[in-house]
Amino acid sequence: RVQEIMVFSPSFSYLTIISLLFHLSYFSSIEAQNDGLIVKLFRKSSSKYMPNIVQAPIHAYIGQHLMEVYIGTPPIKISGITDTGSDLIWINCVPCDGCYKQINPLFDPRKSSSYSNVSCDSSECNNLYSHECSPENQCSYNYGYADNSVTQGVLAQETVTLTSNTNESISLQNILIGCGHNDTGTFNDHEMGIIGLGRGPLSLISQIGPLFGGKKFSQCLVPFHTDIKIASKMNFGKGSQVSGEGVVTTPMVITPNPVSYLVTLLGISVEDTYLPYNSKGDASKGNMLIDSGTPPIYMPNDLYDRVANEIKNKISMEPIINDPSLGTQLCYQTNINLDGPNLTFHFENANVVLTPIQTFVPPKEGVFCLAINNQTEEEGIFGNFAQSNYLIGFDIEKELISFKQMDCTK
């Protein structure tokens, strides 16, 4: 999910830019006792001594990896989209009369002893990209999304609790979150909000990273349709470096947008056929967003047409052409995933090979469709289908993204 201020406009929602200052002084005693923070994601307290591994259950549901964290005192379980395309952590809050429907109870800030609204005249509120003052002097926000989804609410501080590998509860106090009171759009009933992991100052990594060795993390997402009991893996801080044989690294492209992880895609190979990013043979810097909050790959129309045609040329089966429910997707009638072709994404200094597990998904029984969509924009999105079975490292401080092919189910 990307913020609205960018030019992307796929059918998945994007958060607007936020710029906040965050103070970490109250964590100094914990920081001295820990080298890194490891979070385990499962598909979808203060403790005297901080453990090495902190686990957050995650499950996959309708194309999203949903991270479960606990918010408030007493802690309430929240299931939010794991999203490298945005930085705000926000949840549906009582009252939420105009919100999209969710199956779990709404978070009620009145029942949490650790909840506090951020005042409109505070430095945090003044650093928001956009904000308003409520009659009660609360810092109110209104974020629009590229698919016309909207979250409206107030900025607050809350306790966020994770669980360690030794079953200890780890409470992180005064985490800045959005408490949404009017949230609408393309969200499903299992999604209670978003856990932003982008580069911006409000993201989970930006708020807790300095406590555990720096603003960096790595993730290894299991493919969809993997057994729900098998965990994806995410490491924060020291220990999250992606190293060893087979690692490739590409530079982040830093723009005025402080949130997104942008890289440069030079072209794509369908098996041994190389297709440049555009017909001119050049590629603009930062033309691809690494976004775990968007399921498929998005690419410009011209590149999509050339890639899809080459894929069809490499597959001996005839595509489905008479199923209106599939729309214009490139789909094949098969009970098992296709045998090739592999696609190589040629990022700057890094070739990332995608197998059919990462590029074809079954929208219904007996059908597999290409998990790539076209769009009019010149920029693209490298979504979470493509990210599965790769250990991907995001190092905000060194401005690098690393990839290592891996079976994330093991």
Side-chain angles (χ1 to χ4, degrees):
R1 291 175 184 255
V2 203
Q3 63 227 24
E4 182 189 29
I5 196 169
M6 298 187 68
V7 295
F8 303 113
S9 60
S11 59
F12 298 92
S13 54
Y14 301 128
L15 285 174
T16 49
I17 295 178
I18 309 159
S19 212
L20 285 179
L21 298 177
F22 179 68
H23 304 288
L24 299 167
S25 58
Y26 54 88
F27 268 101
S28 58
S29 62
I30 295 176
E31 181 179 7
Q33 298 177 24
N34 193 79
D35 286 331
L37 177 65
I38 299 176
V39 176
K40 298 189 77 177
L41 311 179
F42 291 86
R43 199 177 104 194
K44 59 146 225 75
S45 88
S46 275
S47 174
K48 183 177 180 181
Y49 300 104
M50 194 62 126
N52 288 327
I53 301 176
V54 174
Q55 298 179 331
I58 283 232
H59 61 278
Y61 185 76
I62 311 184
Q64 295 290 1
H65 292 271
L66 304 182
M67 180 187 295
E68 293 180 359
V69 299
Y70 288 82
I71 292 181
T73 307
I76 302 298
K77 185 168 71 173
I78 300 296
S79 183
I81 296 168
T82 307
D83 189 14
T84 60
S86 65
D87 69 342
L88 180 64
I89 304 166
W90 67 268
I91 57 175
N92 290 325
C93 291
V94 173
C96 211
D97 296 335
C99 292
Y100 65 90
K101 301 300 181 183
Q102 66 177 50
I103 61 172
N104 296 304
L106 297 170
F107 179 78
D108 190 345
R110 298 168 298 184
K111 297 181 179 179
S112 173
S113 62
S114 53
Y115 178 92
S116 62
N117 288 313
V118 173
S119 66
C120 194
D121 53 5
S122 66
S123 60
E124 291 86 354
C125 187
N126 289 332
N127 279 280
L128 276 168
Y129 176 73
S130 64
H131 70 274
E132 298 178 353
C133 294
S134 72
E136 298 80 20
N137 196 38
Q138 296 174 358
C139 184
S140 301
Y141 67 82
N142 183 338
Y143 293 138
Y145 295 74
D147 63 350
N148 296 320
S149 296
V150 173
T151 174
Q152 296 174 306
V154 295
L155 189 67
Q157 289 184 319
E158 249 302 8
T159 296
V160 175
T161 302
L162 303 173
T163 304
S164 77
N165 59 318
T166 55
N167 293 321
E168 294 178 88
S169 293
I170 308 303
S171 290
L172 310 175
Q173 299 175 350
N174 299 327
I175 299 296
L176 290 164
I177 67 169
C179 198
H181 295 296
N182 187 6
D183 309 318
T184 59
T186 57
F187 302 98
N188 66 60
D189 60 4
H190 282 55
E191 297 166 358
M192 303 170 70
I194 292 179
I195 310 298
L197 292 167
R199 292 193 301 115
L202 271 185
S203 76
L204 183 62
I205 179 59
S206 291
Q207 294 199 56
I208 71 173
L211 312 175
F212 305 106
K215 291 193 287 185
K216 52 192 172 184
F217 68 99
S218 61
Q219 65 179 34
C220 196
L221 300 177
V222 299
F224 283 91
H225 305 289
T226 299
D227 188 331
I228 195 74
K229 297 177 182 178
I230 297 178
S232 297
K233 300 174 179 65
M234 181 172 285
N235 300 341
F236 285 101
K238 287 186 177 179
S240 68
Q241 294 87 346
V242 179
S243 59
E245 185 178 355
V247 176
V248 293
T249 299
T250 188
M252 293 182 193
V253 177
I254 305 304
T255 69
N257 179 345
V259 175
S260 301
Y261 298 106
L262 295 171
V263 296
T264 301
L265 178 65
L266 304 176
I268 297 172
S269 290
V270 182
E271 292 294 351
D272 56 355
T273 302
Y274 177 75
L275 305 169
Y277 192 84
N278 57 39
S279 56
K280 298 177 182 179
D282 58 4
S284 59
K285 291 286 187 178
N287 59 14
M288 184 66 66
L289 170 69
I290 309 298
D291 182 12
S292 66
T294 295
I297 295 169
Y298 279 88
M299 58 180 61
N301 288 326
D302 173 67
L303 179 58
Y304 172 84
D305 290 341
R306 288 182 286 129
V307 169
N309 287 334
E310 193 60 36
I311 289 174
K312 284 190 286 187
N313 292 337
K314 302 289 189 192
I315 297 176
S316 59
M317 301 170 59
E318 289 297 319
I320 299 171
I321 58 174
N322 57 356
D323 189 339
S325 68
L326 299 175
T328 59
Q329 298 179 90
L330 176 60
C331 302
Y332 293 88
Q333 193 84 39
T334 174
N335 290 318
I336 59 174
N337 209 333
L338 302 172
D339 183 17
N342 291 342
L343 306 183
T344 301
F345 277 62
H346 300 281
F347 296 111
E348 184 178 358
N349 301 330
N351 293 332
V352 175
V353 179
L354 303 183
T355 69
I357 290 177
Q358 296 139 324
T359 56
F360 279 88
V361 295
K364 61 181 182 179
E365 187 175 357
V367 174
F368 278 82
C369 295
L370 182 65
I372 301 176
N373 291 345
N374 60 321
Q375 60 180 14
T376 57
E377 286 75 11
E378 288 302 312
E379 291 78 10
I381 300 174
F382 197 74
N384 64 43
F385 291 143
Q387 294 175 42
S388 66
N389 275 352
Y390 265 95
L391 179 62
I392 304 177
F394 300 80
D395 193 323
I396 297 173
E397 294 163 352
K398 292 184 178 179
E399 299 178 353
L400 295 173
I401 297 180
S402 301
F403 298 84
K404 182 176 184 179
Q405 202 164 26
M406 183 174 293
D407 184 352
C408 295
T409 65
K410 295 181 180 179

